[in-house]
Amino acid sequence: CFQFPVLDYCYKNRLLRGIKAIILYPMNALATDQAGRLAKAIFDDPRLQGQVTAGLFIGRGDKKMHLSTTMTREHIIEDTETILSNPPDILLTNFKMLDYGLLRHNYQRLWNNNRKEKNTLLKYLVLDELHTYDGAQGTDVANLIRRLKLKLSLPYEHLCCIGTSATMGSEDDAKDALCKFASDVFGEYFSTDSIIDEH
């Protein structure tokens, strides 16, 4: 449900360099799976192919492997050095790598285009499996999002924050509870009108 608005925004701003959307996954396996779907969506649309880029920014330990440096039908950009030297429009990552991206000096190039002229090019922030970000991990992610906003000087209500989940609950107050939870995590206001459910 969020892929088409994200791709549309990236296409409309394709002449501006910098990260336009960040999609956070709780596990690398989920990020890798969705990376393949995104690669296919971009490659199969002649308007997007060669115009919109996506990068998979995840930790890989000490494994020596060949990682893609270009967009193909099967892969988005996976090579860390390529991502840092020419940041993609869409960044798929996990909260730990985003944390490293904000703190570690060797990853600061990731934000070079976004910090030029204090632009507000980053528009979309997506948390997949929102319900998993509770307890201490939820607090960590909430603080991470606030640090991201501070680093890029993003004003309140600028980001389009999206949380996806197959778990919402069926109690009478489930939607209100979800809005409060999302507001706490993202640091933005959510009303029940913000919720898109299966119906």
Side-chain angles (χ1 to χ4, degrees):
C1 63
F2 63 81
Q3 181 172 284
F4 291 118
V6 166
L7 291 173
D8 180 62
Y9 176 74
C10 291
Y11 177 74
K12 287 177 178 172
N13 292 278
R14 63 192 178 278
L15 300 179
L16 300 173
R17 300 310 316 147
I19 298 171
K20 300 168 180 71
I22 296 174
I23 307 174
L24 285 174
Y25 293 94
M27 295 182 295
N28 286 351
L30 285 172
T32 303
D33 178 63
Q34 293 304 312
R37 293 181 187 194
L38 186 59
K40 185 179 182 303
I42 292 171
F43 190 88
D44 288 350
D45 190 321
R47 293 166 297 184
L48 304 178
Q49 191 183 123
Q51 301 294 319
V52 173
T53 58
L56 183 61
F57 186 63
I58 59 175
R60 300 180 193 280
D62 294 330
K63 298 177 193 170
K64 299 292 182 195
M65 57 180 71
H66 175 72
L67 300 172
S68 59
T69 58
T70 59
M71 297 282 297
T72 68
R73 191 172 196 271
E74 291 77 33
H75 296 280
I76 61 176
I77 300 163
E78 298 172 344
D79 178 67
T80 301
E81 181 55 36
T82 304
I83 290 171
L84 293 174
S85 59
N86 190 16
D89 299 304
I90 304 168
L91 188 71
L92 280 67
T93 188
N94 56 58
F95 77 92
K96 185 48 72 180
M97 284 303 291
L98 182 58
D99 189 30
Y100 290 159
L102 292 173
L103 293 177
R104 291 188 173 177
H105 75 280
N106 54 321
Y107 290 152
Q108 294 312 297
R109 290 177 291 158
L110 195 58
W111 313 108
N112 283 350
N113 293 321
N114 288 83
R115 289 191 300 207
K116 286 181 181 170
E117 301 172 15
K118 301 229 183 249
N119 76 45
T120 52
L121 192 58
L122 178 62
K123 183 68 178 170
Y124 287 90
L125 177 62
V126 181
L127 285 183
D128 189 47
E129 303 290 345
L130 178 65
H131 62 276
T132 64
Y133 296 103
D134 61 353
Q137 183 172 321
T139 302
D140 287 345
V141 171
N143 286 322
L144 176 66
I145 291 169
R146 283 152 181 80
R147 282 192 284 120
L148 173 70
K149 292 177 188 178
L150 284 170
K151 185 172 194 85
L152 301 182
S153 302
L154 298 175
Y156 181 71
E157 294 187 334
H158 168 75
L159 279 178
C160 179
C161 297
I162 301 166
T164 66
S165 177
T167 305
M168 186 171 76
S170 57
E171 298 83 11
D172 291 340
D173 65 341
K175 288 188 175 183
D176 290 328
L178 177 59
C179 288
K180 182 182 183 321
F181 179 69
S183 297
D184 289 344
V185 172
F186 286 109
E188 302 282 348
Y189 173 73
F190 285 83
S191 69
T192 55
D193 293 341
S194 308
I195 298 174
I196 302 171
D197 60 26
E198 61 185 320
H199 304 295

